[in-house]
Amino acid sequence: YLVSWCVGHLMELAPPNVYDAKYVKWSIADLPILPQKWQYLVSASTKKQFGILQKLMHRPDVDSIVNSCDSGREGELIFRLVYQQAGCKKPFSRLWLSSMEENAIREGFAHLKPSTEYDALYNAALCRERADWMVGINASRLFSCLYGQPLAVGRVMTPVLAMTVVREAAIAAFVPEKFYTVALTLADGGTASSKRFAQKADAELLLSKCRKEGRVTVQKMERKEKSESPPQLYDLTALQRDANRLLGFTAQQTLDYAQSLYEKRLITYP
């Protein structure tokens, strides 16, 4: 085996001006920009590594390739775009791993998958990537032209920002309201609580009735047995959130500590 690697996304979708020089200037009249044939460029920061991969793929003593990128949609996309841009036609198979332990890697190599099993995953990644481009390029240019200032609009970031703004507005507009409940201490030590009353008089009426009776009758009782699943294993985001809440670590600190523990084989990949 000859082993090399991708460093993130080596390929990126070409900007609009590659399709037509007129797109250098932002104009509402040119929208929407919807490429008929998508073009890709090698990222400026990864040209050297792309050249290495291209040479390895075309070596005469290399007869097949194993895609060992991350087992997921983006990992599939990263490999396929490099493979295509390099002009490689050699057969390739897929190493699919859910663990980076040595025995899991050996097991994965012993059972390499045909590349065709992951064509749908690759197409899903293309959809995600191109949707990002179309929404980002067209919406950013539209709103920037409309409002006369550079505005970034994205498929993911804009809805998330909108949800945050709406929630913040709801918190700012919240007006606390008083409510009243009646609580009874039972003879065996338990407690019973009434529903909430908006009016204090309604709660006091119920309380007076309870005092007058001096006792209550249970009309219905249900007993249910429930099972509670153990919490799921951490992903990196949940680990960072808990480490910040419980230990005061920053996200970067948690990342550094997790990486260090992983390299010492004290934790699995989060």
Side-chain angles (χ1 to χ4, degrees):
Y1 291 99
L2 298 167
V3 180
S4 192
W5 48 86
C6 297
V7 279
H9 284 268
L10 275 74
M11 309 300 307
E12 57 188 26
L13 281 167
N17 58 285
V18 170
Y19 296 95
D20 194 319
K22 71 178 182 179
Y23 293 138
V24 171
K25 186 180 178 183
W26 290 26
S27 168
I28 293 180
D30 292 331
L31 301 178
I33 303 168
L34 303 171
Q36 295 302 305
K37 186 177 181 185
W38 293 88
Q39 297 183 43
Y40 287 86
L41 301 174
V42 180
S43 300
S45 61
T46 58
K47 276 186 177 176
K48 182 180 177 183
Q49 182 60 19
F50 175 79
I52 292 169
L53 291 168
Q54 189 173 34
K55 285 178 184 176
L56 288 172
M57 285 180 175
H58 287 286
R59 269 178 51 156
D61 58 339
V62 170
D63 54 16
S64 65
I65 297 162
V66 178
N67 170 13
S68 309
C69 287
D70 286 353
S71 300
R73 191 176 62 179
E74 294 310 300
E76 197 65 29
L77 180 66
I78 286 168
F79 171 82
R80 302 271 189 134
L81 293 180
V82 170
Y83 177 85
Q84 291 166 13
Q85 190 75 12
C88 188
K89 304 291 184 187
K90 295 174 182 178
F92 68 92
S93 50
R94 185 60 156 110
L95 173 68
W96 191 269
L97 301 174
S98 55
S99 167
M100 297 301 289
E101 300 298 317
E102 184 178 331
N103 59 343
I105 296 171
R106 290 185 181 277
E107 177 77 9
F109 268 102
H111 300 92
L112 293 173
K113 308 278 189 179
S115 62
T116 50
E117 284 191 20
Y118 299 92
D119 287 348
L121 190 68
Y122 164 58
N123 286 324
L126 281 181
C127 286
R128 193 278 313 155
E129 179 187 54
R130 293 172 183 182
D132 280 354
W133 193 96
M134 287 189 286
V135 172
I137 294 294
N138 289 291
S140 294
R141 288 183 177 223
L142 173 64
F143 284 99
S144 296
C145 290
L146 285 174
Y147 292 97
Q149 57 181 306
L151 296 170
V153 178
R155 180 183 65 89
V156 176
M157 70 176 183
T158 302
V160 172
L161 178 61
M163 287 190 287
T164 306
V165 169
V166 169
R167 180 67 182 144
E168 188 67 25
I171 292 169
F174 175 74
V175 178
E177 293 181 355
K178 280 187 177 181
F179 63 87
Y180 304 88
T181 61
V182 176
L184 303 179
T185 302
L186 306 180
D188 64 357
T191 58
S193 185
S194 72
K195 67 177 185 180
R196 294 181 176 184
F197 294 99
Q199 301 300 323
K200 188 176 182 180
D202 294 335
E204 287 177 335
L205 177 62
L206 176 61
L207 179 60
S208 65
K209 286 181 178 179
C210 290
R211 282 177 171 156
K212 184 179 177 182
E213 292 293 334
R215 54 184 293 173
V216 295
T217 303
V218 177
Q219 293 182 318
K220 185 179 179 185
M221 185 179 80
E222 284 185 6
R223 185 183 294 247
K224 288 183 180 177
E225 194 170 301
K226 291 186 177 181
S227 60
E228 187 176 331
S229 301
Q232 291 190 329
L233 296 176
Y234 277 116
D235 59 34
L236 192 54
T237 305
L239 183 66
Q240 287 170 321
R241 193 184 304 120
D242 272 6
N244 177 260
R245 181 173 60 85
L246 299 170
L247 304 169
F249 293 167
T250 64
Q252 187 59 50
Q253 277 180 302
T254 304
L255 189 63
D256 292 342
Y257 297 153
Q259 182 67 27
S260 176
L261 289 168
Y262 170 68
E263 289 172 6
K264 296 180 178 70
R265 294 172 170 259
L266 294 171
I267 61 170
T268 55
Y269 193 74

